[in-house]
Amino acid sequence: MNLSFFDQFSSPSLLGIPLILIATTFPALLLSSQNNRWVTSRMSILQLWLINLITKQLMIPLGKKGHKWAMILTSLMIFLLLTNLLGLLPYTFTPTTQLSMNLALAFPLWLATLLTGLRNQPSISLGHLLPEGTPTPLIPALILIETTSLLIRPLALGVRLTANLTAGHLLIQLISTATVVLISTMPAISLLTFLILFLLTMLEVAVAMIQAYVFVLLLSLYLQENI
C-alpha cells in the first residue's frame, strides 16, 4: 500500500522508453497558435490577456535592462502553470514533482542571473556577501554564511516546488482512497471525506498556480539583484 502511493511519482514508460519528454511537451500543444485573422477566438484572446498579465507582473520590479528576460520568464511561468494544473487530472503524470527536473530548471537560470551580475557590476554583486557596517571579527563568518545562502538558492527553488506538489498529490490520493474504502461501510463518513477531497482539490489548484508564480518571481528577484 505504501509503495502504491508513490507509484504516481515514477516516470511513466512504454516498452522501456521514458515518456517524461511527452509529458513535458504536451502543455505547449494546448496553446493556440497565432494567425493572421482579424477576429480571433476567445481562447486566443484569453491566452494573450494572460500572457500580458504575467509579463507585466514579472517585469514591474525590473528595469529596462531586465526586460530582455521577459520571454524566458514568461515562458517558464506558463510552462510550470500548465504542467502543475495538468498533473491534477486523473491518470496523469506531473513532471514538476521530480526534483531532478526542478533543479534542471532552477540551476541554469539562477547561474545565469549570478553571472549577469558578476559581468555587469562585479563590485555590487560581491558586496551582497558582506553587509555594510559589519564588525571586523564577524566578516569571515558572514561571508561564509552569505555565500552558503547564495549557493543553496537553486536547491531551495527546486525543493520548494517539489515538496508542495508532492505533498498535495499524496493527500489527494490518501483521502480519495479513504472515500472509496468507506463508501460501502460508512456512507456518511465517505460523503464527508468526499467533501474534504473536493475542497482539497480546489486548494491544490490554487497551490499549483501559486507555486509556479513563486518559482518565477524568486528568479526575477534574483535577477533584480544583479542588474
Side-chain angles (χ1 to χ4, degrees), residues 6-226:
F6 292 92
D7 286 344
Q8 59 177 320
F9 304 116
S10 60
S11 178
S13 60
L14 179 63
L15 299 177
I17 302 175
L19 301 180
I20 188 172
L21 181 61
I22 298 178
T24 54
T25 55
F26 182 75
L29 302 178
L30 301 178
L31 301 177
S32 58
S33 59
Q34 298 297 323
N35 50 50
N36 296 326
R37 297 179 181 178
W38 284 16
V39 180
T40 58
S41 62
R42 295 181 179 177
M43 184 61 67
S44 299
I45 296 175
L46 179 62
Q47 175 183 322
L48 290 176
W49 174 80
L50 181 62
I51 292 175
N52 290 333
L53 178 63
I54 293 173
T55 305
K56 184 182 298 183
Q57 292 296 324
L58 293 176
M59 293 298 109
I60 285 178
L62 302 178
K64 292 184 177 180
K65 294 181 179 180
H67 289 178
K68 65 182 68 176
W69 289 71
M71 181 65 71
I72 298 176
L73 295 179
T74 304
S75 301
L76 179 62
M77 173 72 181
I78 295 175
F79 170 74
L80 291 176
L81 180 62
L82 292 177
T83 305
N84 294 347
L85 292 178
L86 288 175
L88 294 175
L89 297 176
Y91 302 102
T92 56
F93 172 69
T94 312
T96 46
T97 56
Q98 306 295 313
L99 181 60
S100 57
M101 176 177 173
N102 294 334
L103 290 179
L105 293 174
F107 183 76
L109 293 175
W110 165 82
L111 185 61
T113 60
L114 182 62
L115 294 178
T116 300
L118 293 176
R119 184 188 64 179
N120 296 334
Q121 45 183 17
S123 59
I124 298 178
S125 298
L126 294 176
H128 291 303
L129 301 178
L130 184 62
E132 186 177 357
T134 303
T136 303
L138 297 180
I139 288 179
L142 280 181
I143 291 178
L144 182 60
I145 293 173
E146 293 295 331
T147 303
T148 304
S149 64
L150 178 66
L151 295 178
I152 66 173
R153 282 181 174 181
L155 180 63
L157 283 175
V159 170
R160 180 187 295 107
L161 181 59
T162 303
N164 282 279
L165 296 181
T166 302
H169 283 63
L170 284 176
L171 283 176
I172 289 178
Q173 186 168 0
L174 286 171
I175 296 179
S176 61
T177 303
T179 303
V180 174
V181 171
L182 295 175
I183 193 171
S184 58
T185 57
M186 292 181 287
I189 302 299
S190 178
L191 182 61
L192 178 61
T193 55
F194 178 77
L195 178 61
I196 296 175
L197 177 62
F198 176 77
L199 296 177
L200 180 61
T201 303
M202 295 298 102
L203 177 62
E204 284 305 311
V205 171
V207 168
M209 300 171 64
I210 292 173
Q211 289 303 317
Y213 177 71
V214 168
F215 189 93
V216 182
L217 178 64
L218 289 176
L219 281 175
S220 66
L221 293 179
Y222 298 158
L223 178 63
Q224 183 182 5
E225 295 179 357
N226 293 284

